[in-house]
């Protein structure tokens, strides 16, 4: 297949009418297959796919289905206002016309500062684009993601289809049990704020030739920020957190790190087989494995501390051209016996109680436990005047989501302790709210046999964390398949 080959727009069948989701899915499957078949191909004529009516409609549905649909950008327009105003068809027709005519210009993102949990005085800067900008970013992602997914390596798990944080934790557990026990726990300083625009655009140009698409991506990078004080600032570096396109752009840039550390694992590389890795270790050379979740990553090393420190220096040199640097305060070299936190989990190599055998265990880190307790305290505080039913609904939402994320860790005792904590907070709040005494609590929440019933109000029952099934997450490794691997015509 020739390099710089244009996309054959006429390849999609037009004889039979198709739903927008099917049309977009088939388009993505074709782009992914073409990108996977030729690693050097640069795609041209993609702009027509970005402003295709089906692409824009699917993009709008994804924006409207996101929780952020309730928030407005600098223009004050929410998704609900689009529905109640001109209507979705007119909104998308106008947006498509501006894209085709080249008059579409992204507006600055509205800055929203949120406090980082457990870090007094530390804030995270989120950018909230306008609804129109979100739709165009979602359309760009629909077109670009299948192309770059063909290049992304299996060591990356963040913000990629069919991959999740639990896969990254399972990979750490998998290699930790196989001798990779020295860990470079890395933290990139202000990663989304400092990444170099020229470096990002160079990486995107390796695959995309369409100048209109490149100009649109660059326009989003340069759109600027409207601060909470109403001041507009330029963005010479970085990509705002909160934008739909930002994680994909960041993953494209961080591919430099993935390729550098994963190159020996490629077929023919010095770590490509078990025998070659064992041969390296016999000669005193280390082997390593990267596990990355967007801007958070660890490097697992089968070697010693000096080998890990040497990798630390190498990675600093790899990240420098991207405008990124490792935080001296938060980047550390640790042995797995000391334990380290990653994505909310605490991973440690330790002796099994009552035996002489050592295993890698995955626990819940203390930070998420403290954050959950803080949320529960805020909902059940003395000054809370919400109805008990509303509080129970919110508590159940928080605990269900939290338990679903952490249920693959060693956490049965943690769930039991948290259940006792939640029960005491809810009962204590109700006693103050209704001026109940202990005998009132027993009368309302015990059955005829004296057994305790779950606290409930207006038919809403408090979720029981103890009932959550705890089981180890299955390591999937190279068996994870993308959404476009099997479907779509050739």
């Amino acid at each position: 297949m020739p390099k710089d080959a244009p996309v054959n727009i006429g390849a999609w069948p037009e004889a039979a009418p198709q739903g927008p989701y099917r049309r977009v899915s088939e388009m993505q499957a074709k782009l992914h297959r073409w990108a996977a078949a030729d690693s050097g191909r640069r795609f041209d004529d993609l702009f027509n796919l970005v402003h295709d009516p089906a692409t824009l409609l699917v993009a709008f549905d994804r924006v409207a289905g996101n929780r952020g649909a309730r928030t407005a950008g600098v223009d004050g327009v929410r998704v609900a206002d689009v529905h109640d105003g001109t209507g979705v068809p007119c909104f998308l027709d106008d947006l498509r016309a501006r894209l085709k005519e080249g008059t579409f210009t992204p507006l600055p993102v509205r800055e929203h500062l949120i406090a980082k949990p457990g870090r007094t005085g530390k804030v995270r800067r989120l950018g909230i684009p306008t609804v129109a900008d979100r739709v165009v970013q979602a359309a760009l992602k629909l077109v670009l993601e299948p192309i770059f997914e063909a290049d992304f390596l299996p060591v990356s798990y963040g913000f990629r289809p069919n991959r999740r944080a639990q896969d990254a934790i399972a990979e750490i557990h998998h290699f930790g049990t196989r001798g990779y026990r020295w860990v470079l726990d890395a933290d990139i300083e202000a990663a989304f704020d400092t990444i170099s625009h020229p470096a990002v655009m160079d990486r995107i140009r390796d695959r995309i030739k369409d100048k209109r698409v490149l100009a649109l991506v660059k326009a989003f990078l340069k759109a600027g920020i409207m601060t909470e004080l109403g001041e507009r600032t330029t963005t010479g570096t970085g990509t705002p957190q909160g934008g739909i396109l930002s994680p994909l752009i960041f993953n494209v840039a961080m591919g430099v790190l993935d390729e550098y550390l994963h190159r020996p694992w490629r077929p023919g590389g010095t770590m490509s087989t078990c025998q070659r890795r064992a041969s390296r270790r016999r000669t005193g050379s280390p082997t390593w494995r990267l596990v990355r979740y967007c801007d958070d990553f660890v490097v697992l090393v089968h070697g010693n501390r000096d080998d890990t420190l040497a990798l630390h220096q190498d990675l600093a040199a790899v990240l420098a051209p991207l405008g990124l640097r490792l935080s001296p305060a938060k980047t550390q070299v640790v042995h797995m016996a000391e334990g380290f936190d990653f994505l909310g989990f605490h991973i440690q190599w330790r002796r099994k109680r009552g035996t002489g055998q050592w295993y890698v265990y995955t626990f819940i880190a203390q930070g998420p436990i403290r954050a959950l307790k803080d949320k529960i305290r805020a909902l059940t505080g003395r000054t809370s005047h919400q109805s008990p039913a509303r509080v129970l609904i919110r508590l159940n939402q928080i605990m269900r989501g939290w338990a679903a994320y952490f249920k693959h860790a060693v956490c049965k005792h943690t769930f039991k302790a948290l259940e006792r904590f939640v029960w005491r907070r809810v009962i204590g709040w109700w006693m103050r709210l209704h001026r109940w005494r202990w005998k009132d609590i027993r009368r309302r929440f015990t059955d005829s046999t004296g057994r305790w019933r779950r606290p409930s109000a207006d038919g809403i029952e408090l979720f029981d964390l103890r009932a959550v099934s705890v089981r180890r997450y299955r390591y999937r490794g190279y068996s994870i398949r993308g959404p476009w691997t099997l479907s779509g015509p050739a």
Side-chain angles (χ1 to χ4, degrees):
M1 185 177 295
K3 297 183 187 302
D4 298 354
V7 174
N8 182 8
I9 301 298
W12 283 277
E14 299 291 345
Q18 301 180 41
Y21 275 90
R22 180 181 172 188
R23 177 181 172 86
V24 170
S25 179
E26 291 184 355
M27 174 266 291
Q28 291 180 310
K30 283 180 176 292
L31 291 175
H32 182 74
R33 278 199 298 274
W34 291 339
D38 185 355
S39 60
R41 176 172 181 168
R42 297 177 68 217
F43 287 78
D44 201 355
D45 204 10
L46 292 176
F47 193 69
N48 291 335
L49 301 181
V50 174
H51 65 66
D52 185 274
T55 307
L56 291 177
L57 184 59
V58 173
F60 182 86
D61 284 349
R62 294 196 174 181
V63 171
N66 191 285
R67 188 171 57 181
R70 295 174 290 182
T71 61
V74 294
D75 59 356
V77 177
R78 301 169 303 162
V79 170
D81 299 325
V82 174
H83 285 287
D84 298 338
T86 60
V88 176
C90 291
F91 172 81
L92 293 181
D93 286 343
D94 175 68
L95 185 59
R96 182 168 187 255
R98 286 192 288 150
L99 284 169
K100 291 179 68 175
E101 294 166 4
T103 59
F104 173 82
T105 303
L107 293 175
V109 298
R110 180 167 68 86
E111 183 183 62
H112 179 58
L113 303 179
I114 59 173
K116 290 186 177 181
R119 300 180 185 179
T120 306
K122 299 276 188 175
V123 294
R124 177 177 285 112
R125 299 177 181 272
L126 294 183
I128 305 174
T130 64
V131 173
D133 290 351
R134 277 179 256 175
V135 173
V136 177
Q137 285 193 38
L140 275 170
K141 184 181 179 184
L142 288 171
V143 174
L144 297 180
E145 186 175 48
I147 297 172
F148 288 107
E149 271 293 322
D151 299 331
F152 289 160
L153 298 175
V155 296
S156 167
Y157 292 97
F159 302 101
R160 294 183 57 191
N162 295 347
R163 291 168 174 262
R164 54 186 71 92
Q166 288 80 2
D167 286 312
I169 299 300
E171 178 146 329
I172 294 173
H173 186 278
H174 175 81
F175 284 96
T177 59
R178 285 157 176 78
Y180 290 75
R181 300 205 179 100
W182 279 100
V183 180
L184 173 60
D185 182 13
D187 182 272
I188 300 177
E189 204 164 46
F192 278 85
D193 297 332
T194 59
I195 194 163
S196 167
H197 289 175
V200 167
M201 293 306 300
D202 286 344
R203 292 283 298 178
I204 294 175
R205 288 190 191 96
D206 288 342
R207 273 302 204 174
I208 308 302
K209 189 181 179 184
D210 193 321
K211 293 183 179 180
R212 293 168 297 176
V213 171
L214 293 171
L216 199 53
V217 172
K218 189 173 183 179
F220 280 116
L221 291 174
K222 300 290 186 182
I225 297 173
M226 187 69 71
T227 68
E228 292 186 332
L229 299 177
E231 301 173 352
R232 179 169 179 173
T233 61
T234 59
T235 47
T237 61
T239 174
Q241 279 185 272
I244 295 173
L245 198 59
S246 295
L248 176 62
I249 291 175
F250 194 84
N251 273 333
V252 171
M254 289 295 286
V256 173
L257 177 70
D258 300 346
E259 291 162 8
Y260 175 79
L261 287 175
H262 194 260
R263 190 177 299 121
W265 287 79
R266 292 277 181 110
T270 56
M271 304 181 197
S272 57
T273 65
C274 294
Q275 292 78 10
R276 290 186 177 185
R277 293 192 289 273
S279 176
R280 278 180 60 88
R281 292 193 286 268
R282 282 195 298 269
T283 60
S285 298
T287 57
W288 58 81
R289 182 74 177 188
L290 169 69
V291 180
R292 184 174 67 83
Y293 191 93
C294 204
D295 59 325
D296 295 325
F297 69 91
V298 295
V299 183
L300 309 173
V301 179
H302 196 310
N304 55 45
R305 182 181 180 85
D306 291 338
D307 297 327
T308 313
L309 288 171
L311 272 176
H312 178 236
Q313 300 300 322
D314 293 344
L315 296 191
V318 172
L319 294 173
L322 298 176
L324 303 176
R325 62 188 295 265
L326 297 175
S327 170
K330 299 175 185 175
T331 300
Q332 58 178 342
V333 172
V334 297
H335 192 274
M336 206 170 277
E338 303 172 51
F340 66 99
D341 294 349
F342 187 63
L343 302 179
F345 294 88
H346 181 76
I347 304 164
Q348 189 173 12
W349 185 55
R350 58 191 295 181
R351 182 177 59 84
K352 183 178 180 180
R353 189 185 309 175
T355 72
Q357 297 175 318
W358 288 64
Y359 298 94
V360 176
Y361 289 90
T362 303
F363 304 98
I364 304 175
Q366 289 302 308
I369 295 175
R370 286 194 297 267
L372 177 65
K373 287 184 175 181
D374 289 343
K375 291 179 181 179
I376 293 168
R377 289 190 185 101
L379 286 167
T380 58
R382 288 179 177 272
T383 59
S384 176
H385 297 291
Q386 297 185 67
S387 68
R390 291 192 58 165
V391 170
L392 287 183
I393 289 173
R394 185 62 188 135
L395 283 173
N396 290 349
Q397 290 172 341
I398 292 171
M399 290 191 295
R400 280 196 173 96
W402 195 89
Y405 183 84
F406 288 109
K407 68 181 181 181
H408 302 293
V410 180
C411 59
K412 202 65 179 177
H413 292 294
T414 304
F415 281 175
K416 288 181 180 179
L418 286 171
E419 165 57 28
R420 290 193 296 270
F421 173 81
V422 175
W423 191 91
R424 288 195 300 267
R425 291 293 306 184
V426 170
I427 294 299
W429 173 54
W430 283 355
M431 290 178 71
R432 294 188 298 270
L433 181 68
H434 301 295
R435 301 182 187 277
W436 288 343
R437 291 177 295 178
W438 185 249
K439 67 177 184 179
D440 300 316
I441 294 293
R442 288 195 62 88
R443 185 174 67 252
R444 284 173 169 83
F445 298 115
T446 58
D447 58 22
S448 57
T449 64
R451 299 183 62 181
W452 286 98
R453 292 184 285 108
R454 298 296 299 162
S456 62
D458 298 335
I460 306 299
E461 187 176 282
L462 180 65
F463 178 67
D464 190 355
L465 277 169
R466 297 170 302 178
V468 177
S469 175
V470 175
R471 61 185 183 276
R472 179 181 293 179
Y473 190 83
R474 181 175 60 88
Y475 171 64
R476 299 191 294 165
Y478 285 90
S479 65
I480 302 177
R481 310 195 71 160
W484 312 290
T485 304
L486 300 176
S487 61

